[in-house]
Amino acid sequence: MDWCKGLRLRKASQSTFFSVKPLKVKCKERLHVGFLVDASGSIGPDDLRKELNFIKEIVDTLNVGTGQSQGALLSYSTDAQMEIRFGEHSTAIEFKRAVDRVRISNGRTRIDSALRLAATEMFAPNIVKPGLPKVAVILTDGRQTPDPGAVPLSQAIVPLRQLGVKVLVVGVGVEVNRDELKLLVEKEEDLYMAANFDELLQRAKEIAKKTCDVVKPNSGRYINNLKETRLL
């Protein structure tokens, strides 16, 4: 009977040896990624937390930190303000702590204000490092408020494009205008729609892969230009 027990143990050991652990996907390439975060009055505290958690998921995938990818963030409602500048934080942990400090500003949804600040401050040529790809991820749960003096989005996006910034847009909820958001992207595949903020969180890795996919891959094994590693 003992030999049968030993055989079962050996088989269990062999089975364990060939088990595969979950994948952790990281972007090996370096880039500048800037987040334009909707902090208008239509965003409740719970949804803001999910919006910020979505950003932190992308930051983890992109390896933000000194000598790696660089991250920046601005929040917008009626006006826009810089929350995090490129190079301000040396580790992803520090960056994510700063992300958690973003607050709702209870204004209207002026996407054009965010685009203006992104072009003049976030991605200004004297700020970003030359030679690194530039990606802007715009989040909104509404449509542009037609205030007096508001710049049409088809015009407001031009300065970012002239700076060579790749724009990805994420619309969340039923109040967004898909046709309006299409004005911000070069290709429709750069526009993502989520039914709610829970679904936004579920799509974080997918959008992180897309963000990394704008970078030319080097040698090695990649998934959409993402290096595949196994958790130890």
Side-chain angles (χ1 to χ4, degrees), residues 83 98 160 197:
E83 304 279 0
L160 271 184
F197 283 92

Side-chain angles (χ1 to χ4, degrees), residues 103-119:
R103 295 291 180 262
I104 298 170
S105 55
N106 293 320
R108 297 181 294 279
T109 306
R110 287 287 300 274
I111 301 172
D112 64 315
S113 296
L115 296 173
R116 183 185 310 110
L117 190 64

